[in-house]
Amino acid sequence: EAGVAQSPRYKIIEKRQSVAFWCNPISGHATLYWYQQILGQGPKLLIQFQNNGVVDDSQLPKDRFSAERLKGVDSTLKIQPAKLEDSAVYLCASSSPSASVYGYTFGSGTRLTVV
Amino acid sequence: GNSVTQMEGPVTLSEEAFLTINCTYTATGYPSLFWYVQYPGEGLQLLLKATKADDKGSNKGFEATYRKETTSFHLEKGSVQVSDSAVYFCALSTNTNAGKSTFGDGTTLTVKP
Protein backbone atom coordinates (compact mmCIF):
# COMPACT_ATOMS: atom_id res chain seq x y z
CA GLU A 1 0.00 0.00 0.00
CA ALA A 2 1.40 3.38 -0.98
CA GLY A 3 1.96 5.78 1.89
CA VAL A 4 0.99 9.40 2.28
CA ALA A 5 2.80 11.45 -0.36
CA GLN A 6 3.91 15.02 0.28
CA SER A 7 5.79 17.53 -1.80
CA PRO A 8 8.05 19.35 -1.82
CA ARG A 9 10.35 17.90 0.86
CA TYR A 10 12.09 21.21 1.48
CA LYS A 11 11.29 24.83 0.72
CA ILE A 12 13.14 28.04 1.51
CA ILE A 13 11.34 31.33 0.93
CA GLU A 14 11.67 34.92 1.99
CA LYS A 15 9.18 36.45 4.40
CA ARG A 16 6.08 37.87 2.76
CA GLN A 17 6.34 35.38 -0.10
CA SER A 18 3.75 32.68 -0.67
CA VAL A 19 4.20 28.90 -0.63
CA ALA A 20 2.04 25.85 -1.24
CA PHE A 21 2.34 22.27 -0.05
CA TRP A 22 0.68 19.23 -1.56
CA CYS A 23 -0.50 16.00 0.03
CA ASN A 24 -1.94 12.81 -1.42
CA PRO A 25 -3.35 10.52 1.29
CA ILE A 26 -3.59 6.76 1.37
CA SER A 27 -6.21 5.55 -1.07
CA GLY A 28 -9.58 5.21 0.62
CA HIS A 29 -8.70 7.29 3.66
CA ALA A 30 -11.52 9.77 4.04
CA THR A 31 -9.91 11.87 6.75
CA LEU A 32 -6.92 14.11 6.09
CA TYR A 33 -5.04 16.28 8.55
CA TRP A 34 -2.45 19.03 8.26
CA TYR A 35 -0.17 19.47 11.26
CA GLN A 36 2.51 22.06 11.95
CA GLN A 37 5.60 20.83 13.81
CA ILE A 38 7.90 23.53 15.10
CA LEU A 39 11.39 22.38 16.02
CA GLY A 40 11.44 20.79 19.46
CA GLN A 41 7.66 20.56 19.73
CA GLY A 42 4.97 18.04 18.99
CA PRO A 43 2.71 18.36 15.96
CA LYS A 44 -0.12 20.89 16.28
CA LEU A 45 -3.28 20.43 14.23
CA LEU A 46 -3.98 23.09 11.63
CA ILE A 47 -6.96 21.61 9.82
CA GLN A 48 -8.91 18.37 9.51
CA PHE A 49 -10.90 17.31 6.45
CA GLN A 50 -13.50 14.59 6.17
CA ASN A 51 -13.78 13.84 2.44
CA ASN A 52 -13.89 17.33 0.94
CA GLY A 53 -15.45 19.04 3.96
CA VAL A 54 -13.67 20.83 6.80
CA VAL A 55 -14.22 19.23 10.22
CA ASP A 56 -11.97 21.49 12.28
CA ASP A 57 -9.95 24.54 11.27
CA SER A 58 -10.09 26.32 14.60
CA GLN A 59 -6.28 26.48 14.88
CA LEU A 60 -5.62 27.57 11.31
CA PRO A 61 -4.39 31.20 11.08
CA LYS A 62 -6.92 32.10 8.44
CA ASP A 63 -5.46 35.52 7.73
CA ARG A 64 -2.50 33.83 6.05
CA PHE A 65 -3.15 30.09 5.82
CA SER A 66 -5.64 28.35 3.57
CA ALA A 67 -6.27 24.73 2.68
CA GLU A 68 -8.48 22.86 0.30
CA ARG A 69 -9.39 19.32 -0.62
CA LEU A 70 -11.64 19.87 -3.58
CA LYS A 71 -12.28 16.31 -4.75
CA GLY A 72 -11.96 14.63 -1.40
CA VAL A 73 -8.59 13.10 -2.30
CA ASP A 74 -5.44 15.22 -2.41
CA SER A 75 -5.05 18.48 -0.55
CA THR A 76 -3.11 21.73 -0.78
CA LEU A 77 -2.03 23.96 2.12
CA LYS A 78 -1.03 27.52 1.28
CA ILE A 79 0.66 30.27 3.26
CA GLN A 80 0.42 33.84 2.00
CA PRO A 81 2.25 35.91 3.12
CA ALA A 82 4.76 33.87 5.08
CA LYS A 83 6.26 35.04 8.36
CA LEU A 84 9.49 34.00 10.03
CA GLU A 85 7.53 32.10 12.69
CA ASP A 86 6.02 29.86 10.00
CA SER A 87 9.34 28.03 9.74
CA ALA A 88 8.40 24.47 10.64
CA VAL A 89 7.75 21.02 9.25
CA TYR A 90 4.28 20.67 7.76
CA LEU A 91 2.98 17.16 8.15
CA CYS A 92 0.08 15.62 6.33
CA ALA A 93 -1.64 12.57 7.79
CA SER A 94 -4.58 10.45 6.75
CA SER A 95 -6.76 7.93 8.50
CA SER A 96 -9.74 5.70 8.13
CA PRO A 97 -12.85 6.74 10.07
CA SER A 98 -11.46 4.79 13.01
CA ALA A 99 -8.52 7.11 13.66
CA SER A 100 -9.27 7.11 17.36
CA VAL A 101 -8.58 3.36 17.36
CA TYR A 102 -6.00 2.84 14.63
CA GLY A 103 -4.08 6.10 14.59
CA TYR A 104 -2.72 8.01 11.63
CA THR A 105 -0.38 7.43 8.72
CA PHE A 106 1.92 10.39 8.23
CA GLY A 107 3.76 11.63 5.20
CA SER A 108 7.44 12.58 5.37
CA GLY A 109 6.61 16.25 5.75
CA THR A 110 7.68 19.47 4.10
CA ARG A 111 10.37 21.43 5.90
CA LEU A 112 9.73 25.16 5.39
CA THR A 113 12.36 27.75 6.17
CA VAL A 114 11.33 31.40 6.03
CA VAL A 115 14.25 33.83 5.88
CA GLY B 1 -9.31 20.03 26.98
CA ASN B 2 -7.05 17.14 26.10
CA SER B 3 -3.33 17.27 26.81
CA VAL B 4 -0.27 15.01 26.86
CA THR B 5 2.82 15.52 28.98
CA GLN B 6 6.04 13.68 28.24
CA MET B 7 9.21 13.52 30.25
CA GLU B 8 11.69 16.07 29.09
CA GLY B 9 14.68 14.93 27.14
CA PRO B 10 17.01 14.38 25.66
CA VAL B 11 17.67 10.87 26.89
CA THR B 12 21.05 9.29 26.22
CA LEU B 13 21.62 5.59 26.86
CA SER B 14 24.22 3.01 26.09
CA GLU B 15 23.32 0.11 23.84
CA GLU B 16 21.43 -2.69 25.67
CA ALA B 17 20.29 -0.36 28.45
CA PHE B 18 16.70 -0.30 29.71
CA LEU B 19 14.50 2.51 28.41
CA THR B 20 11.56 4.26 30.05
CA ILE B 21 9.92 7.36 28.61
CA ASN B 22 7.14 8.70 30.79
CA CYS B 23 3.83 9.93 29.40
CA THR B 24 0.80 11.18 31.30
CA TYR B 25 -2.41 12.53 29.87
CA THR B 26 -5.54 14.52 30.57
CA ALA B 27 -8.62 13.77 28.53
CA THR B 28 -12.37 13.99 28.47
CA GLY B 29 -14.02 10.71 27.64
CA TYR B 30 -12.12 7.49 27.12
CA PRO B 31 -9.05 8.07 24.98
CA SER B 32 -7.02 5.74 22.85
CA LEU B 33 -3.30 6.14 23.48
CA PHE B 34 -0.47 5.97 20.99
CA TRP B 35 3.29 6.14 20.72
CA TYR B 36 4.75 7.44 17.47
CA VAL B 37 8.43 7.44 16.47
CA GLN B 38 10.13 9.97 14.22
CA TYR B 39 13.48 9.13 12.67
CA PRO B 40 15.64 12.00 11.39
CA GLY B 41 14.21 13.62 8.29
CA GLU B 42 11.07 11.50 8.30
CA GLY B 43 7.46 11.80 9.31
CA LEU B 44 5.96 10.15 12.37
CA GLN B 45 5.33 6.41 12.33
CA LEU B 46 2.87 4.66 14.59
CA LEU B 47 4.85 2.48 16.99
CA LEU B 48 2.15 1.01 19.23
CA LYS B 49 -1.28 1.73 20.63
CA ALA B 50 -3.77 0.80 23.34
CA THR B 51 -7.47 1.51 23.19
CA LYS B 52 -8.72 0.74 26.70
CA ALA B 53 -7.57 0.57 30.29
CA ASP B 54 -5.05 -2.18 31.11
CA ASP B 55 -4.37 -2.87 27.42
CA LYS B 56 -0.70 -3.36 26.58
CA GLY B 57 0.56 -2.19 23.22
CA SER B 58 3.75 -3.71 21.88
CA ASN B 59 5.91 -3.55 18.77
CA LYS B 60 9.61 -4.01 17.92
CA GLY B 61 10.44 -4.78 21.55
CA PHE B 62 8.72 -1.65 22.84
CA GLU B 63 5.80 -1.89 25.26
CA ALA B 64 3.40 0.49 26.96
CA THR B 65 0.48 -0.23 29.29
CA TYR B 66 -2.63 1.94 29.48
CA ARG B 67 -3.00 2.86 33.16
CA LYS B 68 -6.27 4.64 33.76
CA GLU B 69 -5.73 5.03 37.51
CA THR B 70 -2.52 7.00 36.98
CA THR B 71 -3.50 8.41 33.55
CA SER B 72 -0.21 7.16 32.17
CA PHE B 73 1.16 5.33 29.14
CA HIS B 74 4.89 4.95 29.73
CA LEU B 75 7.04 3.55 26.93
CA GLU B 76 9.56 0.82 27.83
CA LYS B 77 12.13 -1.32 26.09
CA GLY B 78 14.34 -3.83 27.80
CA SER B 79 17.43 -3.47 25.61
CA VAL B 80 17.83 -0.50 23.29
CA GLN B 81 19.85 -0.48 20.09
CA VAL B 82 21.62 2.31 18.25
CA SER B 83 18.90 2.08 15.60
CA ASP B 84 16.30 3.10 18.21
CA SER B 85 17.74 6.62 18.26
CA ALA B 86 14.81 8.85 17.31
CA VAL B 87 12.18 11.20 18.72
CA TYR B 88 9.26 9.50 20.47
CA PHE B 89 5.84 11.13 20.73
CA CYS B 90 3.00 10.13 23.01
CA ALA B 91 -0.48 10.96 21.72
CA LEU B 92 -4.13 10.48 22.54
CA SER B 93 -7.32 10.46 20.54
CA THR B 94 -10.98 10.34 21.55
CA ASN B 95 -14.17 9.74 19.64
CA THR B 96 -15.53 12.97 21.08
CA ASN B 97 -13.07 15.07 19.06
CA ALA B 98 -13.65 13.37 15.72
CA GLY B 99 -10.54 11.25 15.97
CA LYS B 100 -8.13 14.15 16.20
CA SER B 101 -4.94 13.33 18.03
CA THR B 102 -3.23 15.49 20.64
CA PHE B 103 0.54 15.04 20.82
CA GLY B 104 3.16 15.53 23.49
CA ASP B 105 6.28 17.54 22.71
CA GLY B 106 8.42 14.50 22.07
CA THR B 107 11.42 12.92 23.77
CA THR B 108 14.69 12.59 21.90
CA LEU B 109 16.48 9.31 22.49
CA THR B 110 20.12 8.82 21.57
CA VAL B 111 21.63 5.38 21.96
CA LYS B 112 25.42 5.16 21.97
CA PRO B 113 27.36 2.02 21.01
Short mmCIF file of all heavy atoms in Angstrom, two decimals, chain A residues 67-106:
data_model
loop_
_atom_site.label_atom_id
_atom_site.label_comp_id
_atom_site.label_asym_id
_atom_site.label_seq_id
_atom_site.Cartn_x
_atom_site.Cartn_y
_atom_site.Cartn_z
N ALA A 67 -6.41 26.12 3.10
CA ALA A 67 -6.27 24.73 2.68
C ALA A 67 -7.51 24.30 1.95
O ALA A 67 -8.61 24.79 2.23
CB ALA A 67 -6.01 23.82 3.88
N GLU A 68 -7.33 23.39 1.02
CA GLU A 68 -8.48 22.86 0.30
C GLU A 68 -8.27 21.39 -0.03
O GLU A 68 -7.15 20.90 -0.11
CB GLU A 68 -8.74 23.66 -0.98
CG GLU A 68 -7.59 23.67 -1.97
CD GLU A 68 -7.87 24.54 -3.17
OE1 GLU A 68 -8.82 25.35 -3.14
OE2 GLU A 68 -7.15 24.40 -4.18
N ARG A 69 -9.39 20.73 -0.22
CA ARG A 69 -9.39 19.32 -0.62
C ARG A 69 -10.60 19.14 -1.53
O ARG A 69 -11.60 18.57 -1.15
CB ARG A 69 -9.48 18.41 0.62
CG ARG A 69 -9.18 16.96 0.32
CD ARG A 69 -9.39 16.08 1.55
NE ARG A 69 -9.00 14.70 1.26
CZ ARG A 69 -9.38 13.66 1.99
NH1 ARG A 69 -10.16 13.83 3.04
NH2 ARG A 69 -8.98 12.45 1.67
N LEU A 70 -10.48 19.67 -2.71
CA LEU A 70 -11.64 19.87 -3.58
C LEU A 70 -12.36 18.59 -3.96
O LEU A 70 -13.57 18.53 -4.00
CB LEU A 70 -11.21 20.64 -4.82
CG LEU A 70 -10.78 22.10 -4.56
CD1 LEU A 70 -10.29 22.74 -5.85
CD2 LEU A 70 -11.93 22.89 -3.95
N LYS A 71 -11.64 17.54 -4.28
CA LYS A 71 -12.28 16.31 -4.75
C LYS A 71 -12.26 15.22 -3.69
O LYS A 71 -12.50 14.06 -3.99
CB LYS A 71 -11.60 15.83 -6.04
CG LYS A 71 -11.74 16.82 -7.19
CD LYS A 71 -11.10 16.27 -8.46
CE LYS A 71 -11.27 17.27 -9.60
NZ LYS A 71 -10.63 16.78 -10.86
N GLY A 72 -11.96 15.61 -2.47
CA GLY A 72 -11.96 14.63 -1.40
C GLY A 72 -10.80 13.66 -1.44
O GLY A 72 -10.84 12.63 -0.76
N VAL A 73 -9.76 13.99 -2.22
CA VAL A 73 -8.59 13.10 -2.30
C VAL A 73 -7.37 13.90 -1.85
O VAL A 73 -7.13 14.02 -0.66
CB VAL A 73 -8.41 12.51 -3.70
CG1 VAL A 73 -7.20 11.57 -3.73
CG2 VAL A 73 -9.66 11.76 -4.12
N ASP A 74 -6.63 14.49 -2.82
CA ASP A 74 -5.44 15.22 -2.41
C ASP A 74 -5.79 16.60 -1.89
O ASP A 74 -6.92 17.09 -2.05
CB ASP A 74 -4.42 15.29 -3.55
CG ASP A 74 -4.98 15.91 -4.80
OD1 ASP A 74 -6.22 16.02 -4.91
OD2 ASP A 74 -4.18 16.31 -5.66
N SER A 75 -4.81 17.21 -1.24
CA SER A 75 -5.05 18.48 -0.55
C SER A 75 -3.86 19.41 -0.75
O SER A 75 -2.73 18.96 -0.94
CB SER A 75 -5.26 18.23 0.95
OG SER A 75 -5.38 19.44 1.67
N THR A 76 -4.15 20.71 -0.68
CA THR A 76 -3.11 21.73 -0.78
C THR A 76 -3.24 22.67 0.41
O THR A 76 -4.35 23.10 0.76
CB THR A 76 -3.25 22.54 -2.08
OG1 THR A 76 -3.18 21.65 -3.19
CG2 THR A 76 -2.15 23.57 -2.18
N LEU A 77 -2.12 22.97 1.03
CA LEU A 77 -2.03 23.96 2.12
C LEU A 77 -1.20 25.13 1.61
O LEU A 77 -0.12 24.92 1.06
CB LEU A 77 -1.36 23.34 3.35
CG LEU A 77 -1.11 24.27 4.53
CD1 LEU A 77 -2.42 24.66 5.19
CD2 LEU A 77 -0.19 23.59 5.56
N LYS A 78 -1.72 26.33 1.78
CA LYS A 78 -1.03 27.52 1.28
C LYS A 78 -0.79 28.50 2.43
O LYS A 78 -1.62 28.64 3.33
CB LYS A 78 -1.85 28.19 0.19
CG LYS A 78 -2.05 27.36 -1.06
CD LYS A 78 -2.87 28.10 -2.09
CE LYS A 78 -3.09 27.25 -3.34
NZ LYS A 78 -3.95 27.92 -4.35
N ILE A 79 0.34 29.19 2.33
CA ILE A 79 0.66 30.27 3.26
C ILE A 79 0.95 31.51 2.43
O ILE A 79 1.77 31.49 1.51
CB ILE A 79 1.90 29.95 4.12
CG1 ILE A 79 1.75 28.60 4.81
CG2 ILE A 79 2.10 31.05 5.16
CD1 ILE A 79 2.98 28.16 5.58
N GLN A 80 0.22 32.60 2.73
CA GLN A 80 0.42 33.84 2.00
C GLN A 80 -0.06 35.02 2.83
O GLN A 80 -1.27 35.11 3.11
CB GLN A 80 -0.34 33.79 0.67
CG GLN A 80 -0.14 35.04 -0.18
CD GLN A 80 -0.88 34.95 -1.51
OE1 GLN A 80 -1.73 34.08 -1.72
NE2 GLN A 80 -0.57 35.84 -2.42
N PRO A 81 0.79 35.93 3.24
CA PRO A 81 2.25 35.91 3.12
C PRO A 81 2.90 35.17 4.28
O PRO A 81 2.35 35.12 5.38
CB PRO A 81 2.58 37.40 3.20
CG PRO A 81 1.55 37.94 4.15
CD PRO A 81 0.30 37.15 3.87
N ALA A 82 4.07 34.62 4.04
CA ALA A 82 4.76 33.87 5.08
C ALA A 82 5.45 34.80 6.06
O ALA A 82 5.91 35.90 5.70
CB ALA A 82 5.78 32.92 4.45
N LYS A 83 5.53 34.34 7.31
CA LYS A 83 6.26 35.04 8.36
C LYS A 83 7.40 34.14 8.85
O LYS A 83 7.37 32.93 8.65
CB LYS A 83 5.34 35.38 9.53
CG LYS A 83 4.26 36.40 9.22
CD LYS A 83 3.50 36.75 10.47
CE LYS A 83 2.48 37.85 10.21
NZ LYS A 83 1.74 38.22 11.45
N LEU A 84 8.35 34.77 9.52
CA LEU A 84 9.49 34.00 10.03
C LEU A 84 9.03 32.85 10.93
O LEU A 84 9.60 31.76 10.88
CB LEU A 84 10.45 34.91 10.79
CG LEU A 84 11.15 36.00 9.97
CD1 LEU A 84 12.01 36.87 10.89
CD2 LEU A 84 11.99 35.41 8.85
N GLU A 85 7.99 33.12 11.73
CA GLU A 85 7.53 32.10 12.69
C GLU A 85 6.81 30.92 12.03
O GLU A 85 6.44 29.97 12.71
CB GLU A 85 6.63 32.72 13.76
CG GLU A 85 5.39 33.38 13.22
CD GLU A 85 5.55 34.89 13.12
OE1 GLU A 85 6.68 35.35 12.82
OE2 GLU A 85 4.54 35.59 13.34
N ASP A 86 6.62 30.99 10.72
CA ASP A 86 6.02 29.86 10.00
C ASP A 86 7.05 28.78 9.68
O ASP A 86 6.69 27.71 9.17
CB ASP A 86 5.36 30.33 8.70
CG ASP A 86 4.23 31.31 8.94
OD1 ASP A 86 3.59 31.23 10.01
OD2 ASP A 86 3.99 32.15 8.06
N SER A 87 8.31 29.05 9.96
CA SER A 87 9.34 28.03 9.74
C SER A 87 9.03 26.81 10.61
O SER A 87 8.94 26.90 11.83
CB SER A 87 10.72 28.58 10.10
OG SER A 87 11.09 29.63 9.23
N ALA A 88 8.85 25.68 9.96
CA ALA A 88 8.40 24.47 10.64
C ALA A 88 8.37 23.34 9.63
O ALA A 88 8.61 23.54 8.43
CB ALA A 88 7.00 24.66 11.24
N VAL A 89 8.06 22.15 10.13
CA VAL A 89 7.75 21.02 9.25
C VAL A 89 6.24 20.90 9.17
O VAL A 89 5.56 20.91 10.21
CB VAL A 89 8.36 19.71 9.76
CG1 VAL A 89 7.94 18.54 8.87
CG2 VAL A 89 9.89 19.81 9.80
N TYR A 90 5.72 20.81 7.97
CA TYR A 90 4.28 20.67 7.76
C TYR A 90 4.00 19.22 7.40
O TYR A 90 4.45 18.71 6.38
CB TYR A 90 3.79 21.66 6.70
CG TYR A 90 3.88 23.06 7.24
CD1 TYR A 90 5.07 23.79 7.18
CD2 TYR A 90 2.80 23.63 7.91
CE1 TYR A 90 5.18 25.05 7.73
CE2 TYR A 90 2.89 24.90 8.47
CZ TYR A 90 4.10 25.59 8.39
OH TYR A 90 4.19 26.84 8.95
N LEU A 91 3.26 18.59 8.28
CA LEU A 91 2.98 17.16 8.15
C LEU A 91 1.55 16.94 7.69
O LEU A 91 0.62 17.55 8.22
CB LEU A 91 3.18 16.46 9.49
CG LEU A 91 4.60 16.43 10.05
CD1 LEU A 91 4.58 16.02 11.51
CD2 LEU A 91 5.47 15.47 9.25
N CYS A 92 1.40 16.05 6.76
CA CYS A 92 0.08 15.62 6.33
C CYS A 92 -0.13 14.21 6.86
O CYS A 92 0.80 13.39 6.86
CB CYS A 92 -0.03 15.65 4.82
SG CYS A 92 -1.62 15.10 4.17
N ALA A 93 -1.32 13.92 7.32
CA ALA A 93 -1.64 12.57 7.79
C ALA A 93 -3.02 12.20 7.27
O ALA A 93 -3.85 13.07 7.01
CB ALA A 93 -1.61 12.50 9.31
N SER A 94 -3.24 10.90 7.13
CA SER A 94 -4.58 10.45 6.75
C SER A 94 -4.98 9.27 7.62
O SER A 94 -4.13 8.61 8.25
CB SER A 94 -4.64 10.08 5.27
OG SER A 94 -3.92 8.90 4.98
N SER A 95 -6.26 9.03 7.68
CA SER A 95 -6.76 7.93 8.50
C SER A 95 -8.08 7.43 7.95
O SER A 95 -8.79 8.13 7.22
CB SER A 95 -6.93 8.38 9.95
OG SER A 95 -8.01 9.27 10.06
N SER A 96 -8.40 6.22 8.35
CA SER A 96 -9.74 5.70 8.13
C SER A 96 -10.66 6.37 9.15
O SER A 96 -10.18 7.09 10.02
CB SER A 96 -9.74 4.18 8.33
OG SER A 96 -9.51 3.90 9.69
N PRO A 97 -11.95 6.13 9.07
CA PRO A 97 -12.85 6.74 10.07
C PRO A 97 -12.54 6.31 11.49
O PRO A 97 -13.01 6.94 12.43
CB PRO A 97 -14.23 6.24 9.62
CG PRO A 97 -14.11 6.02 8.16
CD PRO A 97 -12.71 5.51 7.97
N SER A 98 -11.75 5.27 11.66
CA SER A 98 -11.46 4.79 13.01
C SER A 98 -10.13 5.29 13.53
O SER A 98 -9.39 4.58 14.20
CB SER A 98 -11.46 3.26 13.02
OG SER A 98 -12.68 2.76 12.56
N ALA A 99 -9.81 6.55 13.24
CA ALA A 99 -8.52 7.11 13.66
C ALA A 99 -8.33 7.03 15.15
O ALA A 99 -7.21 6.88 15.63
CB ALA A 99 -8.41 8.56 13.20
N SER A 100 -9.41 7.14 15.92
CA SER A 100 -9.27 7.11 17.36
C SER A 100 -8.88 5.72 17.85
O SER A 100 -8.47 5.57 18.99
CB SER A 100 -10.58 7.56 18.03
OG SER A 100 -11.63 6.69 17.67
N VAL A 101 -8.98 4.73 16.99
CA VAL A 101 -8.58 3.36 17.36
C VAL A 101 -7.27 2.98 16.69
O VAL A 101 -6.39 2.39 17.30
CB VAL A 101 -9.69 2.36 16.98
CG1 VAL A 101 -9.23 0.93 17.23
CG2 VAL A 101 -10.96 2.66 17.74
N TYR A 102 -7.13 3.32 15.42
CA TYR A 102 -6.00 2.84 14.63
C TYR A 102 -4.89 3.85 14.43
O TYR A 102 -3.81 3.50 13.95
CB TYR A 102 -6.49 2.33 13.28
CG TYR A 102 -7.41 1.15 13.41
CD1 TYR A 102 -8.77 1.26 13.17
CD2 TYR A 102 -6.91 -0.09 13.79
CE1 TYR A 102 -9.61 0.17 13.31
CE2 TYR A 102 -7.74 -1.19 13.93
CZ TYR A 102 -9.09 -1.04 13.70
OH TYR A 102 -9.92 -2.12 13.84
N GLY A 103 -5.13 5.11 14.76
CA GLY A 103 -4.08 6.10 14.59
C GLY A 103 -3.96 6.58 13.16
O GLY A 103 -4.79 6.29 12.30
N TYR A 104 -2.93 7.37 12.91
CA TYR A 104 -2.72 8.01 11.63
C TYR A 104 -1.57 7.36 10.86
O TYR A 104 -0.69 6.74 11.44
CB TYR A 104 -2.26 9.47 11.81
CG TYR A 104 -3.16 10.42 12.52
CD1 TYR A 104 -2.65 11.64 12.93
CD2 TYR A 104 -4.50 10.16 12.76
CE1 TYR A 104 -3.44 12.57 13.57
CE2 TYR A 104 -5.29 11.09 13.41
CZ TYR A 104 -4.76 12.29 13.81
OH TYR A 104 -5.54 13.22 14.45
N THR A 105 -1.56 7.64 9.55
CA THR A 105 -0.38 7.43 8.72
C THR A 105 0.10 8.79 8.27
O THR A 105 -0.66 9.56 7.67
CB THR A 105 -0.70 6.55 7.51
OG1 THR A 105 -1.22 5.29 7.95
CG2 THR A 105 0.56 6.30 6.69
N PHE A 106 1.35 9.09 8.57
CA PHE A 106 1.92 10.39 8.23
C PHE A 106 2.74 10.33 6.96
O PHE A 106 3.36 9.30 6.66
CB PHE A 106 2.84 10.88 9.35
CG PHE A 106 2.14 11.49 10.53
CD1 PHE A 106 1.75 10.69 11.59
CD2 PHE A 106 1.87 12.85 10.59
CE1 PHE A 106 1.10 11.24 12.69
CE2 PHE A 106 1.24 13.40 11.67
CZ PHE A 106 0.85 12.59 12.74
#
